[in-house]
Amino acid sequence: MSISINLYRVCKAEELIDLKDLEGQIAKTADTKVDLYKITSDLAVIFLNSTNPYSNTNTIPYKMLFGKHAEQSVSVGEIGGFLRSSDIPEITKWIKTNKIETFEGFSKIYDNLSEEVKNELEEMNSEDKTVLFNAYVRPLVVLYFTALENDNSVLFIGQ
């Protein structure tokens, strides 16, 4: 059984413990959360062009999709990751550098994947690049640029 990963923007914080009224913040931003459903692995494979995207948790794509490991139960699920407010500029810079904020940029990455990765995506029954971009990448990009603008941190909650 897979876990759906949802990303929530919450107030500025450098540590998860610094967040006050965590449940209230989650509820307040629930309508702007990004539900990556079960596509996080697909996106990780694409952004890292690797069939083993979990081998290096320090890569920007890994952090962008899973955060840095954190554990805490909340009413909507289990927090599995957290990104500090100070991590967000690095994420948005990577997005801009790789041009994944546009369909053309995402398509270039997708079209230039290794054959091994393309086969892995096929075995995963991954969506086509148009669906991936419109349903998952675009909302993810909006979340990160909004987080940058508002000096937010980000929670990764499994449901």
Side-chain angles (χ1 to χ4, degrees):
M1 181 170 120
S2 295
I3 294 175
S4 180
I5 296 180
N6 293 275
L7 284 69
Y8 291 81
R9 286 185 306 106
V10 291
C11 72
K12 180 178 182 175
E14 292 302 306
E15 300 295 331
L16 182 59
I17 197 164
D18 296 338
L19 293 169
K20 305 297 180 222
D21 186 26
L22 188 55
E23 293 287 348
Q25 288 188 56
I26 291 168
K28 183 179 173 183
T29 61
D31 61 335
T32 62
K33 75 177 181 188
V34 172
D35 183 356
L36 292 180
Y37 187 55
K38 298 171 184 173
I39 303 298
T40 49
S41 294
D42 304 42
L43 294 177
V45 165
I46 292 166
F47 292 152
L48 291 164
N49 196 16
S50 171
T51 58
N52 184 11
Y54 309 107
S55 63
N56 186 352
T57 60
N58 290 319
T59 65
I60 293 172
Y62 184 92
K63 291 178 199 175
M64 180 173 73
L65 295 168
F66 302 103
K68 293 179 182 175
H69 182 74
E71 291 183 21
Q72 186 172 333
S73 294
V74 290
S75 61
V76 294
E78 296 292 323
I79 296 174
F82 171 75
L83 275 182
R84 303 173 302 183
S85 302
S86 61
D87 292 327
I88 304 303
E90 179 182 43
I91 303 280
T92 56
K93 181 180 178 186
W94 184 90
I95 290 169
K96 286 180 183 179
T97 299
N98 290 282
K99 299 181 172 111
I100 66 164
E101 76 275 20
T102 66
F103 180 70
E104 293 75 23
F106 177 71
S107 292
K108 185 175 180 180
I109 288 174
Y110 189 92
D111 294 342
N112 289 309
L113 294 171
S114 70
E115 284 304 314
E116 183 181 32
V117 168
K118 289 177 184 177
N119 292 336
E120 178 76 10
L121 289 169
E122 189 174 308
E123 288 177 22
M124 295 168 75
N125 294 319
S126 187
E127 300 285 350
D128 72 26
K129 69 181 175 184
T130 303
V131 172
L132 288 171
F133 180 78
N134 290 323
Y136 304 102
V137 175
R138 181 179 290 159
L140 188 66
V141 166
V142 168
L143 177 125
Y144 278 111
F145 281 97
T146 304
L148 178 68
E149 182 179 315
N150 293 297
D151 206 15
N152 297 131
S153 52
V154 176
L155 291 177
F156 299 75
I157 301 178
Q159 298 175 305

